[in-house]
Amino acid sequence: MGPGYTAGVSYDESEMNLAGDLLAGDVRALARAISLAEDRDPQATALVAELQAHTGRAHLVGVTGSPGGGKSTLVDALVRVIRERGRTVGVIAVDPSSPFTGGAVLGDRVRMSRHTLDKGVFIRSMGARGHLGGLAAATREAIHLLDASGRDVIVVETVGVGQSELEISSLCDTVVLVLMPESGDAVQSIKAGILEIADVYVVNKADLSGAEKARRLIQDAVAMAPKKPWQPPILLASAVKEEGIGPVWEAIESHRAFLRQSGGLEERRRERLKQEVIALVAESARDDARRAVEGDTPVGRLLRDNRNGRLNPYSLAADVRAMRPARGAEN
Ligand SMILES: Nc1nc2c(ncn2[C@@H]2O[C@H](COP(=O)(O)OP(=O)(O)O)[C@@H](O)[C@H]2O)c(=O)[nH]1
Ligand SMILES: [Mg+2]
């Protein structure tokens, strides 16, 4: 990343070795860096920019689906399988509905606690601290940080409903959709168009009745869609009983192999890069705009002094755009 982006941001004395420690795989440095990202500290952004050359190795796996479908439980079971295959893993559980609570959504931490002694597993929950855009940016940075720290696999768990800024298909190489055995969940997903983004379907809670029926519903819906070079498998699993988890991981790996062979991996990454550039520009524009309307600027003063509320937002926006504040400048 060019110096233009990081201008005005320097590391604190205490952050001097963060990049080096993180690259060496130090877990505390990783945790610290992700906290900075969550705080939307400019140092995290500068760090991620600096570490870009060390990213791009990890397999990014998104796990999405309705709340309560068993995503966290499935991820927990997958982590065990991934470790059995000798690979390291980082997990980010994104829950926009939960306010930030100091590093973890409690349920996730408790459930995944059996991995706490394993240095090959890093688990972090992230909640919405400010606006969704901040969470989306923090999630992207956390993925890059885990990648740079040398994790082989990065799993991102998100709730799959209408959070365009957290669009999992634009964050990950492989998207796993977790469905419940009630046919209502499958029907909802078909209607919402969520089925199309999945590379692997998992009908979870197959220990309950209705799983086979849900599988057929999805199969029929997939059969109606235009044929694609990758036929997404539809698997039954029970995350709590840890049944059918091995095949889920194998399907995820097959998809990755398919992407590599077909050139799809490059294509997804190119698309991801595009989306990320748009997001970065949009985020800095939003920060600049906020500084302009809240700071000691002509527009800011006009907004504060205005008594009758009759100002034109369009002309004010044009004024803000014309200001072009210097990158990294304080207000
Ligand atoms: N019967 C059954 N329950 C499950 C299974 N997987 C998860 N659950 C339960 O479903 C609930 C929600 O699970 P959770 O992993 O938190 O779902 P998430 O909201 O999608 O992350 C919990 O009570 C789990 O114990 C499963 O395979 N079978
Ligand atoms: Mg969960």
Side-chain angles (χ1 to χ4, degrees):
M1 187 71 62
Y5 193 76
T6 54
V9 177
S10 56
Y11 297 128
D12 286 348
E13 195 84 356
S14 58
E15 312 294 354
M16 285 289 273
N17 292 318
L18 203 49
D21 290 348
L22 191 143
L23 285 175
D26 183 88
V27 173
R28 287 181 54 196
L30 179 60
R32 169 89 187 112
I34 293 178
S35 292
L36 289 172
E38 204 161 26
D39 291 343
R40 303 309 310 126
D41 188 316
Q43 289 188 79
T45 308
L47 184 63
V48 170
E50 185 187 326
L51 293 174
Q52 276 303 297
H54 302 276
T55 62
R57 245 195 73 256
H59 183 181
L60 309 185
V61 180
V63 175
T64 193
S66 311
K71 297 181 295 298
S72 296
T73 315
L74 181 74
V75 168
D76 181 47
L78 272 175
V79 163
R80 170 180 279 196
V81 172
I82 293 166
R83 293 298 293 141
E84 280 167 6
R85 307 285 199 271
R87 312 187 63 197
T88 58
V89 59
V91 176
I92 306 169
V94 188
D95 187 352
S97 68
S98 97
F100 178 72
T101 51
V105 176
L106 192 61
D108 293 328
R109 172 167 282 180
V110 169
R111 200 175 296 118
M112 297 196 182
S113 61
R114 65 171 166 167
H115 301 298
T116 47
L117 292 176
D118 181 354
K119 282 214 162 64
V121 180
F122 183 93
I123 295 169
R124 184 65 173 253
S125 293
M126 309 230 274
R129 214 166 189 189
H131 50 94
L132 196 54
L135 182 59
T139 302
R140 269 199 332 265
E141 287 180 1
I143 291 170
H144 287 311
L145 291 166
L146 282 165
D147 194 349
S149 82
R151 300 280 144 172
D152 298 319
V153 181
I154 300 171
V155 182
V156 184
E157 176 194 333
T158 65
V159 189
V161 279
Q163 284 132 12
S164 57
E165 287 180 281
L166 276 163
E167 196 44 76
I168 197 147
S169 51
S170 74
L171 287 175
C172 294
D173 301 322
T174 301
V175 176
V176 179
L177 179 62
V178 179
L179 295 147
M180 291 185 263
E182 299 91 69
S183 49
D185 195 36
V187 170
Q188 268 314 109
S189 305
I190 293 164
K191 280 191 189 154
I194 296 174
L195 281 194
E196 287 142 45
I197 65 155
D199 303 302
V200 176
Y201 302 100
V202 177
V203 179
N204 189 38
K205 309 196 184 185
D207 50 292
L208 306 178
S209 64
E212 181 54 33
K213 194 173 163 210
R215 194 189 64 76
R216 275 198 306 274
L217 267 171
I218 296 156
Q219 193 170 40
D220 291 348
V222 170
M224 303 252 286
K227 275 262 177 294
K228 284 187 242 163
W230 169 259
Q231 278 299 300
I234 308 162
L235 305 167
L236 300 189
S238 170
V240 274
K241 295 194 164 177
E242 299 195 58
E243 287 168 8
I245 310 302
V248 172
W249 177 243
E250 273 130 40
I252 292 168
E253 289 218 296
S254 300
H255 178 251
R256 162 86 162 192
F258 164 81
L259 282 182
R260 273 189 189 292
Q261 284 154 16
S262 64
L265 196 58
E266 285 309 306
E267 199 180 304
R268 282 202 188 203
R269 295 195 160 187
R270 214 171 13 246
E271 182 57 28
R272 183 147 76 227
L273 200 60
K274 220 163 72 185
Q275 294 303 332
E276 187 160 15
V277 171
I278 292 171
L280 288 170
V281 173
E283 281 152 17
S284 65
R286 186 162 45 209
D287 290 347
D288 289 347
R290 195 169 291 124
R291 263 196 290 273
V293 299
E294 287 170 3
D296 188 19
T297 63
V299 172
R301 283 191 292 274
L302 203 57
L303 281 162
R304 277 190 296 280
D305 297 344
N306 174 44
R307 301 232 174 263
N308 62 10
R310 290 179 59 85
L311 287 173
N312 184 336
Y314 292 88
S315 66
L316 292 181
D319 291 347
V320 169
R321 279 193 208 99
M323 279 171 58
R324 297 172 147 268
R327 174 79 53 242
E330 297 301 314
N331 58 340

